Amino acid sequence: MSIRQSRPWGVALLTAIAAVSTLLSTSAQAVDGDAAADSTYTFSAKIDVGGVRACSGALLNNQWVVTAASCFTEDPAQFDSLPAGAPALKSTVTIGRTNLIGTTGEVRQITHLIPRTDRDLVLAKLDSPVYGVSFLHPATTVPTAGEALKGTGYGRTKDTWVPDQLHIGTFTAGTVEATAIGIDGTPVCKGDTGAPVFREKDGRPELAAIASRSWQGGCLGSDETRTGAKASRVDDIRAWLTENTASTLNNWNLQMLTRTSTGLYHTMRNSNGDWTAFGDVQKVAGSIEDLAYAADAAIKGKNYVFAVGGDGHLYEANRRPTGGWEAFRDITDEVGSKPGLTRVAVTSTGSGLALIGLASGRVYHATQDADEKWSKWGDVSAKLGVLGNATQVTTTQTSGGDTQIGVVADKKAYHATRHSDGTWSAWGNISNQPTGLDAINGMAFAGTGSNLQIILTSPTGDKKHAIRADTTGSWSAFGNLGSRLGTEPTISVDAASVAREFQAAVVTADGKTKHILRHDNGKWDAVEQVAGYPGSPAGVALTGSAD
């Protein structure tokens, strides 16, 4: 069914354009954008405003879409008159549906609008969260003249009035203004207003601008030859975007450490999916010579970072809730020297920390109390038995005060529990469960309430997820994450519980860091490639922290 226009939309657009002297006016060949392949650019949104006009947009996070304010005003030239609040007409958003005839993706109602007054841009809140669809994060740098950009939209093409298929176009950035940029290339037609204009950086798209006004040259029904358009910048309003989507934020953050070929770097992700820029940990907390491994755990907002140096010593630093860092200090004498220390894992116990170490094939355990005093290493292998050829350890805490410990040894996965009274369970062989994996090279734990969630990886690139009920000790079926995280072999994996959400990250052999999130209701978000750190990634560590 076609979307009827209640007024001469194109004429109003051209009138608005004519008043803007900086709009690109150079001619470009009018070519249709290519149809987007299925399940690509799923952040793209089709917006139906009261059945009288259609626009495009982009999903910023689970519950917010960004588009053009002029989509919701009777006169597009008066976008700055749009009031905040519910839209005047019932407005529906279809997200993650490349072909509108299909059933993939989600459909939501817009309940609230938050417009800008200095540019044609508005935030639209959805009536409920969207899951399993990728987000489009705002850029941090302004587009430059001549820069190659892309855009996606559901607007008219040169031969179709109301396409059912998402199309992708290519543009060249022109004049850069205080609040807008000029773009030229693929025609921007009716229905493309609000479409995301983005660059692809470090293997992922980032939002540069939102399409606003165009000449519509090359569009069906237009005799115009000019294809230039105007788009509203977003790189300079990131703080405004974060502030005005805060109603769907909670006070929990994911903290991530990435160990690379050039050092150790830290970033944070809030509950709306916004990432901070990576910071150089060793620049602010001191250098660790030949850094071999790193792990972290948070108590409230304070993140404790542990590093194994090339000398086999163990170092501890912390990031305060205010963002400042306390320098690395050598804690080897406090916990006891363990020659051959190669791996550590750490978890919060509420008021303190539980630390697991792997040295010369043996597993050790130490604790830090509320006064930040360390116990000496205890020999877990002496208590529970030596696991041959151990290569990795992981740990988390579940409600009730139980510390869960995992070890990968002889390409098998093992699990034990240190109960709140200090007693230990025996090693359990997770590989005896129907994991579907012949060999295991990575494992990560995260405690979500009383349940233990686990991710396993194999040398051939398989990735599995399961949940162990702490009350019964029974395991769920092992689900396949390969369709989400890909099948590239994994060289590092970690997981964390963040406000009862299971979040995990992997570093793949082809040099990518990927993040995935499972909500408490069992729904998964789309996988996101994390970028912005210097060097090639070698390891990742995660923890959840509350402000």
Side-chain angles (χ1 to χ4, degrees):
M1 182 179 73
S2 64
I3 303 296
R4 294 182 295 109
Q5 302 289 348
S6 62
R7 57 178 287 112
W9 186 258
V11 173
L13 280 174
L14 290 174
T15 301
I17 291 170
V20 183
S21 61
T22 55
L23 182 65
L24 286 174
S25 59
T26 56
S27 179
Q29 183 181 5
V31 294
D32 270 349
D34 295 328
D38 289 344
S39 301
T40 60
Y41 305 107
T42 56
F43 51 75
S44 304
K46 170 69 178 287
I47 302 172
D48 175 6
V49 182
V52 297
R53 68 181 73 99
C55 288
S56 299
L59 186 69
L60 284 180
N61 56 54
N62 291 103
Q63 209 163 344
W64 291 90
V65 165
V66 61
T67 185
S70 56
C71 295
F72 300 93
T73 58
E74 281 296 309
D75 182 354
Q78 300 299 316
F79 63 82
D80 55 355
S81 67
L82 178 67
L89 300 174
K90 181 180 178 180
S91 300
T92 302
V93 184
T94 303
I95 306 163
R97 188 170 296 174
T98 308
N99 190 312
L100 297 174
I101 298 176
T103 58
T104 59
E106 303 282 350
V107 179
R108 296 290 187 270
Q109 301 297 317
I110 294 175
T111 61
H112 191 78
L113 299 173
I114 303 177
R116 293 282 298 192
T117 57
D118 63 342
R119 68 197 72 188
D120 186 10
L121 185 142
V122 66
L123 286 167
K125 185 179 181 181
L126 308 180
D127 59 350
S128 62
V130 172
Y131 302 109
V133 177
S134 59
F135 306 152
L136 185 57
H137 295 296
T140 58
T141 57
V142 61
T144 58
E147 181 178 355
L149 300 170
K150 293 184 178 181
T152 53
Y154 291 92
R156 184 179 302 178
T157 66
K158 69 179 181 181
D159 52 17
T160 306
W161 282 101
V162 185
D164 292 318
Q165 183 74 30
L166 179 70
H167 283 73
I168 180 167
T170 57
F171 308 107
T172 300
T175 303
V176 179
E177 302 172 11
T179 62
I181 60 170
I183 55 175
D184 203 358
T186 302
V188 177
C189 302
K190 294 180 182 180
D192 288 328
T193 301
V197 178
F198 54 90
R199 64 166 66 94
E200 293 191 340
K201 180 180 179 182
D202 297 323
R204 65 175 186 175
E206 62 176 29
L207 180 64
I210 291 294
S212 173
R213 306 179 293 277
S214 75
W215 289 110
Q216 301 191 57
C219 303
L220 184 62
S222 173
D223 295 328
E224 179 61 58
T225 59
R226 289 169 291 186
T227 57
K230 182 80 70 174
S232 300
R233 286 173 53 187
V234 300
D235 61 279
D236 61 324
I237 58 169
R238 284 174 58 90
W240 180 86
L241 293 170
T242 300
E243 177 184 346
N244 283 280
T245 56
S247 63
T248 52
L249 280 172
N250 60 45
N251 67 330
W252 280 85
N253 295 296
L254 174 74
Q255 300 206 41
M256 174 186 285
L257 292 175
T258 301
R259 179 171 53 89
T260 79
S261 56
T262 63
L264 183 65
Y265 303 92
H266 171 269
T267 184
M268 294 175 63
R269 179 189 187 274
N270 68 20
S271 60
N272 270 348
D274 299 318
W275 295 86
T276 63
F278 276 92
D280 188 335
V281 175
Q282 294 184 92
K283 184 176 181 179
V284 293
S287 179
I288 303 296
E289 187 173 356
D290 297 326
L291 176 69
Y293 202 79
D296 64 344
I299 301 176
K300 296 184 178 179
K302 189 174 183 179
N303 188 18
Y304 294 81
V305 175
F306 297 85
V308 178
D311 55 3
H313 285 214
L314 182 61
Y315 300 85
E316 177 188 2
N318 65 72
R319 181 185 184 275
R320 295 183 291 270
T322 56
W325 285 81
E326 293 182 14
F328 278 112
R329 63 187 183 90
D330 191 334
I331 63 170
T332 303
D333 290 341
E334 295 177 48
V335 296
S337 177
K338 292 298 175 187
L341 181 69
T342 56
R343 295 284 191 275
V344 291
V346 62
T347 186
S348 168
T349 59
S351 60
L353 298 170
L355 183 68
I356 307 300
L358 180 62
S360 301
R362 300 183 73 89
V363 180
Y364 297 90
H365 169 265
T367 58
Q368 185 187 73
D369 63 21
D371 295 324
E372 299 189 345
K373 302 296 184 182
W374 282 101
S375 70
K376 295 292 185 180
W377 285 120
D379 192 336
V380 178
S381 296
K383 290 179 179 292
L384 307 184
V386 175
L387 300 172
N389 300 315
T391 56
Q392 187 187 348
V393 290
T394 183
T395 187
T396 191
Q397 186 161 94
T398 49
S399 59
D402 289 346
T403 301
Q404 312 292 338
I405 298 170
V407 179
V408 175
D410 282 328
K411 299 182 180 180
K412 294 181 173 62
Y414 296 88
H415 164 255
T417 301
R418 184 181 189 271
H419 300 291
S420 57
D421 61 3
T423 60
W424 290 80
S425 73
W427 290 121
N429 189 341
I430 299 173
S431 296
N432 287 338
Q433 301 293 324
T435 64
L437 302 177
D438 295 329
I440 294 168
N441 72 339
M443 175 169 61
F445 286 173
T448 51
S450 63
N451 292 330
L452 171 65
Q453 298 202 44
I454 179 176
I455 182 170
L456 298 174
T457 65
S458 79
T460 56
D462 294 317
K463 302 166 185 69
K464 297 296 183 77
H465 167 266
I467 301 175
R468 180 183 183 272
D470 192 44
T471 53
T472 63
S474 60
W475 290 89
S476 71
F478 280 77
N480 183 13
L481 290 181
S483 60
R484 301 178 187 274
L485 285 167
T487 57
E488 302 90 351
T490 299
I491 60 175
S492 179
V493 59
D494 202 14
S497 174
V498 187
R500 295 182 63 90
E501 294 175 338
F502 174 79
Q503 299 198 38
V506 298
V507 177
T508 56
D510 59 354
K512 296 177 182 176
T513 301
K514 298 180 180 181
H515 168 267
I516 193 169
L517 185 154
R518 181 184 185 272
H519 293 273
D520 193 35
N521 60 9
K523 295 183 180 294
W524 293 86
D525 275 350
V527 170
E528 181 174 16
Q529 184 174 328
V530 183
Y533 44 77
S536 300
V540 65
L542 305 180
T543 189
S545 65
D547 295 338

